């Protein structure tokens, strides 16, 4: 109960108790006098009775008053709270979230608006081997987004990355309708459902860059998707066009279909298994070609050690398998991708490229990688102690082996294998500093065969 | 009146009524005794009178108390409300609007800040005729804006479209001073006043694209404008430079003057006529040329079936006439544009191009197209039933015939005529899904003479 | 004290005073009767004493009540304020600032979020001399920024300028940690500490463009900086890479070190001296070249009258000296820069270029240029009277002489001297209209030797 009500009621109660007491006293003195007067015969029994009955009526009404005063504490308490609640409804229809992000929401659930962003700034230094790598700094991602809810069931998101130019900077831009539970319908520009590392936010991936096989990730396209989920599983499938801008030359866009299923049984409070599988088919439209290539898990340099070049193709199919185990501060995670390319020249055999990675991490400070079971992705760790407020932040060490094979038949894109060590320091829930060491173990085949540089990279990341 | 006040005052009133009653009762008993004592001769008339007068003084002061208690209900009510209002002023100087948009306003009217945006994502498929059209998807508009009021009379707006690159994405960017009523002064980058469809927001035009003659629309330029309006009329005129970026080559910018007047008598609560006329003159600066061309009312494709090419010209004058009738769920709207081009080579005759359209629509679900009489433009329909909350949204069907003639004298830009059918579904006030069928009826003359493709286009639009 | 409390307590006090008075009166009448009865012998002295003592107990308890009622005003006042404070804590964890800007802050200091921007739109006309200048309009700056505090000690800022394309529009993008007082650590993309006019915001520089010698300003780069300050001094030094994007060709980025110290003794309430010195060293990385050039203090035109062209160089060192005096509405300000270039070809002598300016201003309306001693920069004037609300705004007149010498040894970049007159009109604290007349006095040497145009330029600026 609030202090105000306590104070008011106690004060009022004092009034109630003290004032009547004087009235009762007045009656008491009168009754004493009355008694004395009757006893000494000054007044008759009749007069005595009359005056006494009037006085008793007083007592009765005083008792009513007393009874009422007993309830007054309760009544005022209720009254003040009623008014306070009323005031909240009138004037506080809106809740402003400031727990590490800016969000405004109407209390009726009808409206939500959130504005936020992320900045990732990198510096890298390379131990060059055969080819030139470029030491330097860059902004990896500089994003702003607006996100919200309209009319309760209609969610939207608009996210832009200023490292891109014009429409090429556009990231998420979609509407997500949640009014047909358990199914949600999403349309606009968003990631095709495929892969664990590619569906998880770049803010929370274990290393500064995703593993080599992200060369195969379909990324974001304009499309429509149906999704559903349970407490520990998710299922999404969609139909997608190509890119985010209109036709550039006289080409029809290619189209794709992607689907992903995840299942994540919980073994104990802090142990969880993630299993996932995805399939993605895409035709190349009238562009009739496809290309896969990848930087050496560091983005400051422009060199790609593996690159298929343009391959004439009608369509291609991706398959992805995912597995991960999180147990308290420990995690281990692995994915495998295979891609089959159906070439335009039907006399040429289909091409098959593949990639995989295995990575593990340990939060020295005891945090755990959060898993969003309804999406089948990883999330933002809960930092136990914030730097500047007596804590040391969250410290995570990580290790990765990754491989990408772009050699097949007549295509000699190269096969690369990397070993990486990583350190992530979340100084606060919203700020992450990372250091990565990437060792290119092998490059077999391709234009950069045998070129095996090392990279040392640091990143500062803030999200708001 | 608030419940708190009612409760508090009724409680206090109970105290007031009950307590005095016992006091009155105490007096009553005393008076009875007094009467009895005088009657039986115990006390003298003098004593009786003395005690009685003292008791009557009590009664009088009790009456004052009673009168006061009657006013207490009112007084406390007023007092609590006074404090609540005071509290609002102290702590709630700000109102946050969450009615489908995010806006913060100081309650003194001095400050307003609104952040919002729109996304329009399209997919189109073409029935090609002679030339190649490009099936595919694109973002038509991806805009973010900040808008507000400073020092009460100074409004500003900044709007950017991420489909443009660098400064080319800039839309509205102006200051609008309202302190000199009835005149407002606007300066910065905004639409030159010309035309009904071009002044109305792209969010609410009847079809996904404006009619063919929008080829003539002057669009946004840096300038200064004076405006005034009444309840059913508006008048705006301004002086404008060219574009939004600085000089690129060694060219002086062209300058233009545009003015528009609208008048919109209301015939009944739901019937309104709109009439408008506009004039726009522009010299071409040291660029000395002008070009008009237009896509076939679908923007995913890059083809323009009509195109004047660059015409050497000193200056040109646009004339625009507008008429529209809205009657409940029905609307009909028509515009005509004529453009006269004064060529650099004075031996060549002036050129005259023209365009027009007629379009009508019906809200099956009974909504009406809102008209903003102070601007002479169309606005956002009020959806009667929201999808997801028991409603079906607002459904609008539309039909259009449009024409653009870019053939004159030696210029053979082509003449195009289109017929279109449209469907708009506002699932919520902020989300619109559209489907358009555009049939190119004729292309006479020009490079694409006889090329008459059809287009089927869909759009998802969210504004926030 | 709040009116509610006053009202409530006065009302309650009335109750307290009136009610007891009737009770006392009742006692009084009784005492009169009692006295009369004893006097006429109706009751015995014993009875008289008994009744009197009971009545006196009443009086005593009434006195207690009266004493309590005296404190009630105070108690209720305290009680209501307690509840109001409690309510604020429960429901008003957040403060929304609307004093000319939008900012949300949690009251515990842990979180702050501010969104804002600026627009500068220019129009210029030139009195040409030898070369072509380009009359016209342009947006000089169109910026949006998000800025905030996370976990109390971690500040961030992200600012983008839409006149740039892609990552080239990025301005500030940094994290600033304030948890290690008195030292702050800043990392990301921000201005290298160098120079008074270059460290001060472009919103508040005296003329529409900074003086010619801003050709030497290092501008923003990705880096890390340590800073500290006192009440009237500041010290900052940092290590910086080059630019904001990754490597473009196969070049390693150059690196730089910059440091700046300022000292600003206050002579009286409205008189302050500023002294500053800065040193900046930079190597050119594998790009091995450097270039300095500058527009004629007007940006609409593209012409640069002085330009060194690309100079092959290993590294270069800048020296900057600053002095300024503000005395009430008057200010005078001067800076000098010298740059020493160490050439790649070691047989060539080092190059030395320099520049300086002297400028003064007077606020006719009495305002003063604010000085931020902890940063050593100028800030936003406090406008005394707002236009539209009875005021005339703040009017500032200014004068400048500036010089830039890019001639040395074999490099014939030209030497330019300008004289400028300026007028700034702050109609409100957030809106500034400026008019500048720039007279190019001399161009000695270089490609534009003897080309001495004049410029007349206006700007409208809004910040929000």
């Amino acid at each position: 109960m609030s202090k105000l009500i306590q104070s008011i009621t106690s004060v009022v109660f004092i009034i109630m108790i003290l004032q009547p007491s004087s009235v009762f006293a007045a009656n008491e003195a009168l009754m004493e006098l009355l008694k004395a007067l009757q006893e000494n015969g000054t007044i008759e029994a009749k007069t005595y009775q009359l005056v006494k009955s009037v006085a008793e009526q007083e007592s009765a009404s005083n008792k009513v008053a007393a009874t009422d005063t007993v309830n007054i504490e309760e009544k005022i308490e209720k009254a003040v709270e009623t008014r306070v609640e009323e005031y909240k409804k009138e004037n506080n229809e809106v809740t402003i979230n400031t727990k590490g992000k800016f969000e405004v929401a109407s209390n009726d659930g009808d409206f939500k608006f959130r504005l936020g962003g992320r900045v990732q700034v990198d510096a890298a230094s390379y131990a060059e081997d055969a080819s030139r790598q470029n030491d330097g700094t860059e902004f990896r991602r500089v994003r702003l987004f607006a996100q919200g809810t309209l009319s309760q069931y209609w969610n939207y998101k608009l996210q832009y990355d200023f490292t891109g130019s014009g429409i090429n900077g556009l990231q998420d831009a979609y509407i997500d309708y949640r009014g047909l539970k358990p199914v949600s319908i999403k349309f606009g520009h968003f990631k095709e459902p495929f892969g664990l590392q590619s569906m998880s936010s770049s803010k929370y991936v274990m290393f500064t860059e995703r593993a080599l096989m992200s060369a195969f990730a379909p990324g974001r396209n304009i499309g429509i998707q149906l999704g559903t989920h349970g407490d520990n599983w998710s299922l999404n499938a969609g139909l997608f066009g190509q890119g985010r801008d209109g036709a550039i030359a006289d080409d029809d866009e290619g189209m794709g279909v992607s689907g992903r299923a995840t299942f994540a049984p919980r073994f104990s409070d802090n142990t969880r298994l993630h299993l996932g599988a995805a399939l993605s088919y895409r035709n190349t439209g009238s562009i009739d070609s496809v290309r896969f290539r990848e930087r050496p898990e560091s983005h400051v340099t422009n060199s790609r050690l593996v690159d298929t070049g343009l391959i004439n193709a009608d369509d291609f199919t991706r398959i992805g398998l995912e597995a991960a185990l999180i147990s308290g501060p420990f995690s281990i995670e692995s994915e495998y991708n295979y891609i089959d390319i159906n070439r335009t020249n039907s006399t040429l055999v289909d091409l098959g490229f593949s990639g995989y990675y295995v990575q593990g991490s340990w939060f020295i400070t005891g945090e755990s990688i959060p898993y969003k079971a309804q999406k089948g992705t990883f999330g933002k760790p809960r930092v136990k102690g914030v730097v500047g407020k007596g804590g040391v932040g969250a410290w995570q060490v990580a290790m990765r082996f990754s491989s990408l094979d772009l050699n097949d038949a007549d295509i000699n894109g190269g096969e690369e294998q990397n070993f990486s060590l990583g350190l992530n320091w979340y100084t606060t829930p919203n700020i992450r500093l990372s250091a990565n060491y990437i060792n290119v173990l092998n490059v077999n085949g391709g234009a950069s065969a045998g070129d095996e540089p090392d990279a040392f990279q640091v990143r500062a990341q803030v999200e708001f």
Side-chain angles (χ1 to χ4, degrees), chain A:
Chain A
M1 200 190 65
S2 79
K3 282 175 196 162
L4 169 67
I5 296 167
Q6 285 179 329
S7 310
I8 284 187
T9 50
S10 63
V11 164
V12 174
F13 205 65
I14 288 165
I15 307 166
M16 295 300 97
I17 296 311
L18 292 178
Q19 290 310 104
S21 78
S22 78
V23 174
F24 285 120
N27 272 347
E28 227 174 293
L30 184 65
M31 291 302 283
E32 287 295 334
L33 177 61
L34 200 63
K35 224 166 85 186
L37 291 173
Q38 199 235 1
E39 274 165 10
N40 70 9
T42 305
I43 52 172
E44 291 167 30
K46 199 178 124 196
T47 306
Y48 175 81
Q49 282 307 330
L50 173 72
V51 176
K52 197 183 164 199
S53 82
V54 171
E56 274 167 2
Q57 279 174 26
E58 294 161 19
S59 288
S61 73
N62 276 338
K63 267 175 201 156
V64 171
T67 311
D68 271 20
T69 54
V70 171
N71 293 329
I72 279 168
E73 182 166 3
E74 214 171 279
K75 281 183 185 174
I76 292 192
E77 181 183 329
K78 219 168 143 188
V80 171
E81 270 315 304
T82 301
R83 177 62 183 132
V84 165
E85 286 309 311
E86 213 182 66
Y87 178 81
K88 279 187 197 169
K89 267 187 207 147
E90 278 167 21
N91 301 283
N92 275 45
E93 295 165 331
V94 173
T95 300
I96 298 177
N97 187 339
T98 60
K99 304 292 173 222
K101 60 179 182 179
F102 170 65
E103 188 175 64
V104 173
S106 70
N107 291 337
D108 60 9
D110 226 39
F111 179 86
K112 208 178 266 189
F113 181 73
R114 160 132 168 66
L115 195 80
R118 81 181 69 168
V119 175
Q120 293 176 340
V121 54
D122 294 357
S125 177
Y126 299 90
E128 294 170 355
D129 185 7
S131 67
R132 192 89 171 84
Q133 309 296 329
N134 326 108
D135 290 359
T137 57
E138 75 164 352
F139 279 92
R140 182 64 176 95
R141 290 179 182 88
V142 180
R143 294 188 184 172
L144 210 60
F145 71 87
Q147 179 175 23
T149 300
L150 296 163
S151 302
Q152 196 161 354
Y153 298 109
W154 298 85
N155 301 314
Y156 66 89
K157 186 170 184 181
L158 169 56
Q159 182 171 242
Y160 189 81
D161 195 323
F162 292 99
T163 63
S165 194
I167 193 65
N168 294 314
L170 192 69
Q171 305 295 319
D172 287 323
Y174 61 77
I175 299 169
D176 189 10
Y177 178 55
R178 303 275 175 122
L180 285 175
K181 284 183 179 155
V183 174
S184 66
I185 305 174
K186 199 170 171 178
F187 46 99
H189 189 247
F190 51 93
K191 284 180 187 167
E192 291 192 32
F194 190 89
L196 177 57
Q197 67 169 1
S198 65
M199 296 311 285
S200 294
S201 169
S202 69
K203 289 176 295 194
Y204 312 126
V205 292
M206 208 178 276
F207 290 81
T208 51
E209 298 298 327
R210 294 185 176 95
L212 286 171
M213 60 158 236
S214 73
F216 298 137
R220 290 179 179 85
N221 285 299
I222 294 176
I224 182 162
Q225 174 180 296
L226 294 179
T228 186
H229 64 79
D231 279 349
N232 63 1
W233 58 272
S234 73
L235 196 58
N236 288 284
L239 174 69
F240 297 87
Q242 195 171 332
R244 48 209 148 183
D245 50 351
I248 292 179
D250 51 352
D251 287 323
D252 287 343
E253 284 185 15
M255 294 194 64
V257 185
S258 292
R260 177 174 179 247
T262 68
F263 173 57
R266 190 188 272 282
F267 296 134
S268 75
D269 267 9
N270 67 359
T271 303
R272 189 151 211 169
L273 178 70
H274 162 93
L275 296 172
L279 195 64
S280 175
Y281 165 84
R282 175 162 287 276
N283 72 53
T284 56
S286 50
I287 298 154
D288 270 347
S289 71
V290 67
R291 179 183 194 170
F292 298 100
R293 58 181 186 163
E294 192 64 21
R295 284 187 178 80
E297 295 176 339
S298 173
H299 193 275
V300 176
T301 183
N302 277 312
S303 83
R304 276 102 168 176
L305 304 175
V306 288
D307 183 353
T308 62
L310 281 178
I311 300 169
N312 287 330
D314 281 347
D315 52 57
F316 53 92
T317 304
R318 299 168 176 105
I319 295 169
L321 297 174
E322 320 161 11
L325 184 75
I326 304 168
S327 182
F330 299 97
S331 80
I332 184 158
E333 185 188 338
S334 182
E335 281 190 86
Y336 170 78
N337 276 188
Y338 180 81
I339 187 160
D340 177 275
I341 299 172
N342 177 24
R343 299 214 258 185
T344 310
N345 181 340
S346 57
T347 64
L348 293 173
V349 291
D350 274 20
L351 294 169
F353 300 135
S354 67
Y356 67 91
Y357 71 89
V358 187
Q359 65 190 23
S361 82
W362 172 42
F363 270 104
I364 303 172
T365 41
E367 284 84 356
S368 187
I369 298 180
Y371 179 76
K372 300 187 227 170
Q374 302 183 348
K375 294 184 169 185
T377 60
F378 293 133
K380 179 178 176 177
R382 295 195 174 187
V383 177
K384 291 187 174 180
V386 168
V387 175
K389 300 176 118 176
V392 296
W395 291 80
Q396 181 188 27
V397 288
M399 204 162 73
R400 176 165 71 190
F401 177 82
S402 67
S403 174
L404 177 65
D405 183 356
L406 300 182
N407 291 331
D408 193 38
D410 52 309
I411 301 296
N412 190 21
E415 180 190 1
E416 179 175 349
Q417 283 167 339
N418 288 1
F419 173 76
S420 303
L421 292 173
L423 176 68
N424 296 317
W425 178 28
Y426 294 85
T427 63
T428 78
N430 287 25
I431 292 174
R432 175 173 129 167
L433 306 178
S434 304
N436 282 188
Y437 167 74
I438 303 111
N439 186 347
V440 177
L441 299 173
N442 294 297
V443 177
N444 300 322
S448 303
D451 188 2
E452 288 145 15
D454 292 0
F456 180 74
Q457 161 138 7
V458 292
R459 168 173 298 174
Q461 169 183 300
V462 58
E463 66 168 305
F464 58 91

